[in-house]
Amino acid sequence: MILSNSTALHHTCSDEYSAITTLMWPLRLGPMTLSRMRFGLANIGYNFPYDSRIRTTKVEGIHGEYLGKMVSHTHTQHTSKSVIFWIYGGAFLSGNVDGNVPLAANYADKTNSSAFVVNYKLCPEGTVENAVEDVIDAYNFLLASDYVDDASNVTILGISSGGGLAVRLMQHIALNKEFYGGVTVKNAVLICPWVNYDIENLPKSLVENTVHDLIVHQGVFSYVIPFGPRMAEMSDGKSNYRKVSPIFHR
Amino acid sequence: MKGLPKLCVISSDHECTSDETYDLVEKCRKAGVEVKHHSQKYLCHVYALLPFLPEAQAAEKQIVDFLTV
């Protein structure tokens, strides 16, 4: 306990947080690889207890593309068609639908909703712009489907880089009001959103807080940053950090 | 940021995306967007997704309350 409390950032953190700080600290010493990142994020759902009531339905687009999964609980008596549009995180390099299903199901259950966990292309196979296109396509498909009545029943939830995609999606909806009939989503939740990808002018916290951050520690930071130019690549093959970053959009 | 819906933002003051989260919240509020920002001290990035932490359980309650009101 004494060791745990001395490794967390502050003595007011819970014992559980202090303990996990101690247990996870050595992870920053090992080499980071894409496989390790993807394995870790693909298994994030194991933090949640197994729930046999979770039901998933794979959703495909008109050309058979994998758009994501609808998630609900078999016992939930839905009184509305509320849907949480769930955008996972993982620094654009990792994260996947199946790993996020238990998390999305947990929030769906507690809010009497369904959830739609959206699938999008990761880097370096794709770019941030590819991911934005995938998220917009999936949102448009969902609106046209029977899964929701209209956009006013949709909550967007984005985690980290998924939070950045959530902001880009909401900016797209706001800029194309006529296309969407003037209806925007009901609300949105952003969990620690990553919205600035300008690696030439990194925010101070992105550099300094990696020293004690359990999740984005120095090993993750130094591995992710070199992917910046590929992430920010536009259709002309040139990188534009400010254009891909939702924080610089009006 | 004009035209964005009501937002609930969960973050920590001591994690890597802290600065940009505050920038985002400020820009949204200036654009007239209603934002509920819950920021905890001393915690790591996406702590809200570690359900065995009391801090994460508090964040989950903030999110569920926001979505069900």
Side-chain angles (χ1 to χ4, degrees):
Chain A
M1 186 64 75
I2 292 168
L3 177 64
S4 294
N5 279 336
S6 65
T7 52
L9 196 58
H10 198 265
H11 65 86
T12 56
C13 295
S14 67
D15 288 344
E16 291 87 343
Y17 186 76
S18 300
I20 196 173
T21 304
T22 306
L23 289 168
M24 288 180 63
W25 193 91
L27 291 179
R28 67 186 60 217
L29 301 175
M32 185 52 61
T33 66
L34 202 54
S35 298
R36 280 186 67 183
M37 274 188 78
R38 288 186 177 178
F39 179 81
L41 269 291
N43 291 291
I44 190 173
Y46 285 106
N47 289 319
F48 287 76
Y50 176 75
D51 190 338
S52 60
R53 301 167 303 168
I54 298 172
R55 180 177 54 200
T56 61
T57 308
K58 189 175 180 183
V59 179
E60 294 181 338
I62 51 174
H63 300 298
E65 62 272 31
Y66 178 28
L67 298 178
K69 279 185 178 173
M70 284 301 302
V71 181
S72 59
H73 271 83
T74 52
H75 78 292
T76 306
Q77 298 296 316
H78 293 294
T79 51
S80 71
K81 278 195 170 183
S82 296
V83 174
I84 301 172
F85 190 84
W86 187 280
I87 312 175
Y88 52 78
F92 296 112
L93 297 168
S94 56
N96 70 359
V97 172
D98 288 339
N100 277 254
V101 162
L103 289 72
N106 174 55
Y107 279 97
D109 186 32
K110 288 176 176 160
T111 57
N112 188 32
S113 308
S114 302
F116 177 78
V117 185
V118 57
N119 182 46
Y120 62 85
K121 286 182 202 75
L122 299 175
C123 299
E125 297 90 334
T127 64
V128 170
E129 286 308 288
N130 293 148
V132 171
E133 288 161 11
D134 287 347
V135 167
I136 291 171
D137 286 348
Y139 176 76
N140 290 343
F141 184 90
L142 195 70
L143 281 191
S145 74
D146 291 333
Y147 291 114
V148 290
D149 290 332
D150 64 67
S152 62
N153 286 326
V154 175
T155 289
I156 296 175
L157 187 149
I159 303 160
S160 188
S161 52
L165 291 172
V167 177
R168 288 287 306 270
L169 172 60
M170 290 186 283
Q171 289 167 335
H172 170 83
I173 296 168
L175 279 171
N176 295 279
K177 269 193 293 191
E178 288 180 14
F179 178 81
Y180 292 104
V183 184
T184 188
V185 296
K186 183 181 178 186
N187 48 28
V189 176
L190 306 173
I191 299 174
C192 303
W194 185 27
V195 291
N196 183 348
Y197 320 131
D198 186 0
I199 60 167
E200 292 171 340
N201 300 285
L202 289 170
K204 195 176 162 192
S205 65
L206 195 54
V207 180
E208 295 184 357
N209 288 351
T210 55
V211 174
H212 49 72
D213 197 309
L214 282 182
I215 307 295
V216 184
H217 50 69
Q218 301 104 317
V220 171
F221 174 79
S222 56
Y223 183 75
V224 170
I225 293 302
F227 285 100
R230 171 60 178 160
M231 287 181 190
E233 214 172 282
M234 309 300 289
S235 55
D236 61 5
K238 293 177 183 168
S239 301
N240 190 326
Y241 302 114
R242 293 179 74 86
K243 205 166 182 180
V244 293
S245 305
I247 193 71
F248 300 119
H249 287 234
R250 295 183 71 186
Chain B
M1 304 298 173
K2 196 178 172 189
L4 265 58
K6 195 163 69 170
L7 302 178
C8 171
V9 180
I10 303 289
S11 69
S12 163
D13 286 351
H14 295 86
E15 54 114 348
C16 58
T17 57
S18 173
D19 287 353
E20 55 200 276
T21 298
Y22 273 98
D23 284 350
L24 178 71
V25 168
E26 188 186 342
K27 282 191 174 190
C28 286
R29 283 179 175 155
K30 275 185 183 169
V33 177
E34 189 182 333
V35 184
K36 282 199 175 205
H37 184 198
H38 302 282
S39 193
Q40 300 295 314
K41 288 183 176 178
Y42 312 121
L43 299 174
C44 64
H45 189 55
V46 297
Y47 70 93
L49 304 182
L50 304 171
F52 44 83
L53 300 178
E55 293 92 338
Q57 290 155 17
E60 182 183 285
K61 186 176 183 312
Q62 288 161 345
I63 294 170
V64 171
D65 286 350
F66 173 78
L67 295 181
T68 51
V69 166

